């Protein structure tokens, strides 16, 4: 089935140790998004790609970076995770801007 | 800027109706509605584009008042499966999705 896949589902990292989360999609969608969702809060958009064009939200910390090597894959790099970065990270895709978004199951990041 | 959702929480009995509201201080291009169950990813319900349209999806429908930058989600004859947290997401012309804080809906037998 066409879907949005995130790996790993659970990630534990140490304070300050770089970590990479991955997202892949079989929907051939142009737009890919990364959201951060903390407990009992709304998802917060970190950045999105429209094809290869990268769009960073103004309040996304520099500690967060992203790569999209091809249409199917997108990566979220956290260069020096802090305790405050512990959250669920959601990847989503849409066929175009302002279309419905399909979310992956998320990666729950724990920082020790 | 995050849209404002109300109410924060609502408890219903099966078969009852509910309305969830979402408002923004910005001129909106689109409003999205998603439902998220505990421990799961958000699931798309519907999208409304500027033009003041109203959409329906089974017993769930929504409206978008472009002049007031407000949207409402209508849940009629609620079912147990409707339980979850409902988020509205708003976009301006800059494709800058912002989700509201969410409305926790609980449907009891």
């Amino acid at each position: 089935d066409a879907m949005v896949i995130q790996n790993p589902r659970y990630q534990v990292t140490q304070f300050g140790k770089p970590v990479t989360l991955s997202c892949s999609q079989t929907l051939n969608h142009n737009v890919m998004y990364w959201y951060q969702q903390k407990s009992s809060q709304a998802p917060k958009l970190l950045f999105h790609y429209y094809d290869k064009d990268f769009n960073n939200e103004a309040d996304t910390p520099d500690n967060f970076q992203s790569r999209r090597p091809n249409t199917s894959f997108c990566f979220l790099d956290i260069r020096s995770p802090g305790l405050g970065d512990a959250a669920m990270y959601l990847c989503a895709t849409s066929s175009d801007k302002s279309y419905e978004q399909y979310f992956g199951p998320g990666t729950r990041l724990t920082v020790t | 800027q995050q849209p404002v959702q109300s109410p924060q929480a609502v408890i219903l009995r099966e078969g009852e109706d509910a309305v969830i509201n979402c408002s923004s201080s910005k001129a909106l291009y689109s409003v999205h509605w998603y439902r998220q169950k505990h421990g799961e990813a958000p699931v798309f319900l519907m999208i409304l584009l500027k033009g003041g349209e109203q959409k329906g999806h089974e017993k769930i429908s929504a409206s978008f008042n472009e002049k007031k930058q407000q949207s409402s989600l209508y849940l009629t004859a609620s079912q147990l499966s409707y339980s979850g947290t409902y988020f509205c997401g708003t976009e301006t012309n800059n494709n800058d999705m912002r989700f509201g804080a969410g409305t926790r809906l609980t449907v009891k037998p």
Side-chain angles (χ1 to χ4, degrees), chain B residues 5 98 103:
Chain B
Q5 270 187 251
R98 296 285 183 272
T103 297

Side-chain angles (χ1 to χ4, degrees), chain B residues 10-74:
Chain B
V10 60
I11 300 174
L12 300 174
R13 292 286 179 190
E14 258 186 306
E16 292 182 338
D17 302 340
V19 180
I20 301 171
N21 300 303
C22 176
S23 64
S24 175
S25 59
K26 293 189 172 184
L28 298 177
Y29 179 78
S30 67
V31 179
H32 300 225
W33 286 97
Y34 292 82
R35 177 172 61 212
Q36 185 176 31
K37 293 183 181 282
H38 183 70
E40 299 180 10
V43 173
F44 174 80
L45 294 175
M46 63 189 73
I47 182 172
L48 302 102
L49 303 179
K50 70 176 181 180
E53 63 181 295
Q54 184 162 354
K55 282 196 169 184
H57 176 72
E58 296 178 344
K59 295 180 181 178
I60 301 174
S61 61
S63 63
F64 176 28
N65 186 321
E66 186 183 345
K67 288 183 179 178
K68 294 184 177 181
Q69 306 305 323
Q70 292 175 348
S71 179
S72 294
L73 185 72
Y74 306 94

Side-chain angles (χ1 to χ4, degrees), chain A residues 37 42 48 57 98 100-101 104, chain B residues 34 36 41 47 91 95 98 100:
Chain A
Q37 187 175 27
H48 76 273
E57 293 299 306
S98 297
E100 62 185 90
Q101 295 187 21
Chain B
Y34 292 82
Q36 185 176 31
I47 182 172
E91 290 180 308
N95 195 218
R98 296 285 183 272

Side-chain angles (χ1 to χ4, degrees), chain A residues 16-34:
Chain A
K17 185 174 182 181
V19 64
T20 295
L21 311 181
S22 73
C23 176
S24 63
Q25 53 124 345
T26 58
L27 298 161
N28 203 34
H29 281 174
N30 290 325
V31 193
M32 295 187 78
Y33 306 82
W34 278 105

Side-chain angles (χ1 to χ4, degrees), chain A residues 13-84:
Chain A
T13 191
Q14 293 178 336
F15 183 94
K17 185 174 182 181
V19 64
T20 295
L21 311 181
S22 73
C23 176
S24 63
Q25 53 124 345
T26 58
L27 298 161
N28 203 34
H29 281 174
N30 290 325
V31 193
M32 295 187 78
Y33 306 82
W34 278 105
Y35 291 90
Q36 179 192 64
Q37 187 175 27
K38 296 187 176 181
S39 181
S40 300
Q41 295 185 19
K44 180 181 179 299
L45 182 63
L46 296 173
F47 23 62
H48 76 273
Y49 279 92
Y50 184 81
D51 288 332
K52 294 182 179 180
D53 292 334
F54 177 70
N55 297 271
N56 195 33
E57 293 299 306
D59 56 354
T60 297
D62 292 339
N63 198 25
F64 291 84
Q65 304 286 320
S66 185
R67 297 169 282 137
R68 189 180 186 185
N70 53 52
T71 301
S72 301
F73 285 87
C74 195
F75 298 97
L76 170 62
D77 301 308
I78 308 177
R79 293 192 293 188
S80 183
L83 297 178

Side-chain angles (χ1 to χ4, degrees), chain A residues 6-13 19 21 37-40 85-90 105-111, chain B residues 36 38-40:
Chain A
Q6 290 188 244
N7 286 305
R9 294 291 309 276
Y10 300 90
Q11 176 74 57
V12 180
T13 191
V19 64
L21 311 181
Q37 187 175 27
K38 296 187 176 181
S39 181
S40 300
D85 297 329
M88 176 72 81
Y89 289 87
L90 295 164
T107 294
R108 183 167 295 282
L109 179 68
T110 300
V111 182
Chain B
Q36 185 176 31
H38 183 70
E40 299 180 10

